[in-house]
Amino acid sequence: LTPSQKYTAIGMLGKATDTLDATGKVTEEKPYDQVTKGDLENVLQKFTGDIMQVPPLYSALKKDGERLSTLMKRGEAVEAKPARPVRVYSLSLQQFQPPLFTLDVECGGGFYVRSLVNDIGKELSTCATVQELTRTKQGPFTLEEHALHEDKWTIDEIARSLEHCTALLPGGSSRKKLKTEHPGETAVICE
């Protein structure tokens, strides 16, 4: 996931969870009344550019070949990974209606929005957790332009969408035609 990615995240001030998102168990609650929109906007500047970030314990990172999240769910003790360098290309506040705030984030690979929201809460002398997270861009693909909406889930629309998307990949794609169960039909596989 080395190309840039964009996300829209809704964070909630005043609560922290073990997973750093709404699916987790609440681990801490703190007042957040003192936080203003200006405070939040000022804090975002500290998280833009090349920064150090500690990945969440509930993540796909591995220890001894197993995901940390799997180990955590089994109740095994897991040490936090050390902070590592990550890049935030842009970070902006879209909405602030306490306790909720909405961020637009463009970042490089290996970045965790859940850790960002958690760190923002700490920087504001409270705590925060992600309530909703939507990836809106991955490399050349955007949710708005390239997502195939459910009402268009037909073989023809899926094939057209795949053709359009593979054209955006570096070097295009190689294609293989496979025989299907039905005479006269072929399936196209892009690698």
Side-chain angles (χ1 to χ4, degrees):
L1 299 179
T2 52
S4 72
Q5 309 163 69
K6 285 187 180 180
Y7 295 90
T8 298
I10 299 176
M12 176 186 274
L13 294 169
K15 284 189 182 181
T17 66
D18 56 355
T19 59
L20 308 184
D21 65 19
T23 67
K25 183 178 75 175
V26 175
T27 58
E28 184 178 22
E29 293 190 54
K30 283 186 166 182
Y32 58 86
D33 302 3
Q34 76 283 3
V35 178
T36 67
K37 181 179 181 181
D39 294 334
L40 189 49
E41 288 172 329
N42 288 336
V43 162
L44 296 184
Q45 294 173 13
K46 294 181 180 184
F47 295 101
T48 303
D50 292 326
I51 63 169
M52 296 297 288
Q53 185 184 66
V54 176
L57 289 176
Y58 281 88
S59 69
L61 296 177
K62 294 183 179 180
K63 176 186 174 192
D64 301 327
E66 282 197 82
R67 288 179 176 219
L68 295 182
S69 57
T70 303
L71 297 172
M72 293 289 295
K73 289 174 187 173
R74 282 201 308 248
E76 295 184 30
V78 176
E79 286 185 36
K81 294 279 187 179
R84 59 191 193 171
V86 293
R87 179 168 289 161
V88 180
Y89 297 105
S90 66
L91 176 59
S92 60
L93 179 65
Q94 298 305 307
Q95 194 169 14
F96 183 59
Q97 294 180 313
L100 301 177
F101 60 96
T102 303
L103 302 174
D104 277 345
V105 183
E106 183 173 6
C107 55
F111 184 83
Y112 284 91
V113 176
R114 290 178 292 141
S115 290
L116 169 70
V117 169
N118 181 64
D119 292 343
I120 287 170
K122 289 177 183 174
E123 193 69 31
L124 292 167
S125 300
T126 183
C127 49
T129 191
V130 170
Q131 296 300 294
E132 289 181 33
L133 182 62
T134 305
R135 187 180 303 194
T136 58
K137 180 181 181 272
Q138 174 66 47
F141 304 103
T142 63
L143 185 61
E144 189 176 303
E145 190 178 343
H146 299 101
L148 188 60
H149 299 280
E150 193 172 347
D151 63 335
K152 293 187 176 186
W153 286 0
T154 66
I155 296 298
D156 290 339
E157 289 290 338
I158 292 170
R160 252 191 300 279
S161 181
L162 285 173
E163 218 171 271
H164 174 67
C165 289
T166 56
L168 295 174
L169 295 173
S173 67
S174 60
R175 297 177 184 192
K176 292 182 182 176
K177 289 191 177 190
L178 300 177
K179 292 183 181 177
T180 65
E181 295 176 21
H182 306 287
E185 291 183 3
T186 57
V188 175
I189 303 298
C190 298
E191 295 180 336

